Amino acid sequence: MENLSTEAIVVIVTTIVAALAIVIGTMIPTWVEGKACEKAIEGMARQPEAAPQLRTAMIISLALLETASIYVLLVVLVLLFANPLLKLLGG
Amino acid sequence: MTVIEHPIIFTLFGLPVRDTVVFTWITMAVIIAIVLLLKLLKPNLLEMILEMIIGIVDDAMDVDDLHPYIPLLGSLMVFVLVANLISIVPVMKSPTADINTTIGLALVIVLSVHIYGILKKGFWTYLKEFASPIVLFPIELIGQVSRTLSLAMRLFGNVLSGDLVVAIVFSIIPSVLPIAMIAISMISGALQAYVITTLAALFISSAVEINEEDQRVKAEKAARKKLKKLRKELANGES
């Protein structure tokens, strides 16, 4: 570890953190979306005449839930392609 | 990564024009060309598309008259749909994979929500209903900003992640596998056009809806006043 430069350590830690963040940050929203879909499909099976309204509500709530994982993706993209920590070290 | 970088293509009167702007112009030209072609060759199909858009907006909105909202919401949906799907042409990049485009669209949506509300209810009534518990007014303002940001980020992130996954898979296995990823990104692009239209319709619908409870209270008060006046006149007549 001693012969690694500070920049190299920052790059390694950033990569590990980015991989962990994208794994956890897509796993949890996907799990919650699955629960939402499950309830909506149960409702559709119980009341087929209410299916169009349920489908619209389901798609909108899925899009809103998806926003959480999109935020994680944006943070990871910033960490990987425009790392502010490296700029802090360089400047 | 060519998906993320946006190089300057040329300068117009000293203003740098990036490739996103050029692709936006191409998108607009494609939409206009498709509409003109359909109008010449198959007017029925054009009518069917319009009916479909009206149906989607009508599902989301709870208002009597849809006419003032169809031009904005319909053109928003068509533009976002074509802009998301245009990245399947090899040299093109989606204009919506740049955050400037999506923030512009989100600003248009949020401003038009307030403009429709003011046009429907009048300035002071709208402001009074907007800040009805005055304690919550700052929170409402923060909500407007975060609504804009989340609309922009959702569209940008979805389109960019689709394009990025296609680029990464293409750089690893350039044969058959990218086709599946392109198909997934096309489906999510069409879905995002639907979602952003529905959300804009919901926001506008919540801004222009008339508070029925207030209306009822006002009508009751007016009726009571009239009754009082009538009783007074009756008493005057008897005496």
Side-chain angles (χ1 to χ4, degrees):
Chain A
M1 269 316 248
E2 285 94 45
N3 48 8
L4 281 179
S5 64
T6 324
E7 280 88 359
I9 294 175
V10 166
V11 167
I12 292 169
V13 172
T14 306
T15 315
I16 294 172
V17 165
L20 275 179
I22 199 76
V23 167
I24 298 171
T26 50
M27 205 164 68
I28 295 172
T30 314
W31 181 54
V32 177
E33 276 171 32
K35 286 178 81 169
C37 267
E38 181 194 332
K39 290 288 176 196
I41 291 170
E42 264 179 24
M44 278 182 212
R46 204 169 295 141
Q47 290 177 307
E49 68 271 17
Q53 289 106 349
L54 278 176
R55 195 178 302 124
T56 312
M58 185 183 82
I59 289 175
I60 292 169
S61 50
L62 282 189
L64 291 176
L65 290 170
E66 189 78 14
T67 317
S69 52
I70 294 293
Y71 288 157
V72 174
L73 176 81
L74 292 181
V75 169
V76 168
L77 283 181
V78 167
L79 277 182
L80 287 181
F81 292 106
N83 198 334
L85 305 171
L86 273 180
K87 273 178 206 152
L88 209 67
L89 281 177
Chain B
M1 274 280 172
T2 52
V3 180
I4 292 176
E5 286 160 3
H6 292 288
I8 296 171
I9 292 196
F10 60 93
T11 54
L12 192 71
F13 307 120
L15 283 173
V17 175
R18 293 185 185 273
D19 58 349
T20 309
V21 183
V22 178
F23 290 142
T24 311
W25 291 339
I26 296 174
T27 308
M28 284 150 60
V30 165
I31 294 172
I32 292 170
I34 290 176
V35 169
L36 284 183
L37 268 182
L38 281 182
K39 199 180 173 190
L40 277 180
L41 299 177
K42 279 196 187 309
N44 293 339
L45 194 62
L46 202 64
E47 209 167 292
M48 234 171 70
I49 294 171
L50 186 66
E51 288 289 328
M52 205 182 72
I53 292 172
I54 290 176
I56 288 172
V57 174
D58 192 25
D59 278 347
M61 289 182 94
D62 189 21
V63 291
D64 306 327
D65 188 17
L66 279 177
H67 276 97
Y69 316 114
I70 288 295
L72 176 80
L73 295 172
S75 52
L76 178 78
M77 182 168 187
V78 171
F79 176 74
V80 173
L81 183 68
V82 177
N84 287 349
L85 293 186
I86 210 162
S87 66
I88 57 172
V89 182
V91 284
M92 302 280 295
K93 281 192 276 182
S94 289
T96 39
D98 187 345
I99 192 137
N100 300 305
T101 313
T102 57
I103 281 193
L105 288 176
L107 280 177
V108 167
I109 291 170
V110 171
L111 284 181
S112 67
V113 166
H114 296 301
I115 289 172
Y116 278 131
I118 288 169
L119 282 182
K120 179 94 180 180
K121 295 178 183 170
F123 184 71
W124 289 112
T125 322
Y126 182 72
L127 202 65
K128 215 163 72 185
E129 269 184 27
F130 186 72
S132 56
I134 197 75
V135 194
L136 293 182
F137 186 62
I139 297 173
E140 197 80 29
L141 281 183
I142 295 170
Q144 295 300 316
V145 175
S146 77
R147 178 188 281 183
T148 317
L149 268 182
S150 88
L151 271 176
M153 291 292 177
R154 181 177 310 121
L155 187 56
F156 166 67
N158 267 300
V159 178
L160 182 74
S161 68
D163 288 1
L164 210 58
V165 166
V166 171
I168 290 170
V169 170
F170 189 77
S171 71
I172 301 170
I173 311 166
S175 57
V176 186
L177 200 57
I179 297 172
M181 295 296 153
I182 289 172
I184 290 175
S185 88
M186 278 172 73
I187 292 171
S188 100
L191 200 63
Q192 284 309 308
Y194 171 73
V195 164
I196 199 169
T197 314
T198 313
L199 282 178
L202 280 178
F203 291 156
I204 291 175
S205 160
S206 73
V208 300
E209 81 179 347
I210 292 163
N211 198 336
E212 279 176 8
E213 188 68 18
D214 275 9
Q215 213 75 356
R216 204 174 54 79
V217 167
K218 214 179 263 176
E220 223 165 63
K221 216 178 253 176
R224 209 167 284 158
K225 212 181 221 172
K226 210 172 175 184
L227 199 68
K228 218 177 201 174
K229 208 172 157 190
L230 277 178
R231 270 196 195 136
K232 214 181 217 171
E233 273 175 14
L234 208 64
N236 280 344
E238 274 179 6
S239 66

